[in-house]
Amino acid sequence: MKEVLAKNPGIEFLSQTGKWTLDEGRNVTENTLQRWPDLKAILCIGGEMALGAVEAVKAAGKDGKIIISSMDVYPAQVTAVKAGKVDFTISQAPQDQAYWSVVAAIRALNGEQVPQEIRTPVVIVTKENVDKYAEK
């Protein structure tokens, strides 16, 4: 994200941890909105942080004025996307991550070469396709 934003002059961004919790996600968003009241978008790496951002944006009276995005497609995120509270989330194919992690571990234990990086599908999940990618 930082690399892409750096190529777009005029876009300012702040990177700060929400410590993977709803409360910290809300706190970070509240503080950021004080600094940048005309904030346009929020990217949360964890779902709980996004739900906290949703609360802060609503409390600031900015529902629908700030794009909120997240990662993962677990039940609370599915509900938030369906309700339009989170604009989109990213599916990182957790089943594939788990499968290929086990395959890599077994191969390494057998003395085989294991790639440094194994990529799994990444999908932007919106209201239109959320049911297809919802984690069970």
Side-chain angles (χ1 to χ4, degrees), residues 23-75:
D23 289 339
E24 282 299 313
R26 182 179 52 243
N27 291 338
V28 167
T29 303
E30 289 169 348
N31 293 335
T32 303
L33 285 171
Q34 288 177 10
R35 180 176 173 187
W36 285 328
D38 60 343
L39 185 70
K40 303 290 185 228
I42 299 170
L43 169 62
C44 298
I45 302 301
E48 290 299 309
M49 293 182 289
L51 297 177
V54 166
E55 288 183 5
V57 166
K58 182 178 181 179
K62 296 182 180 277
D63 269 345
K65 296 177 184 169
I66 298 173
I67 296 167
I68 300 175
S69 63
S70 183
M71 302 289 229
D72 303 324
V73 196
Y74 66 90

Side-chain angles (χ1 to χ4, degrees), residues 18 22 24 107 109 125:
L22 187 145
E24 282 299 313
R107 287 180 179 169
L109 289 170
V125 179

Side-chain angles (χ1 to χ4, degrees), residues 98-116:
Y99 173 81
W100 288 109
S101 295
V102 172
V103 168
I106 291 169
R107 287 180 179 169
L109 289 170
N110 288 330
E112 297 176 42
Q113 287 287 337
V114 178
Q116 279 289 102

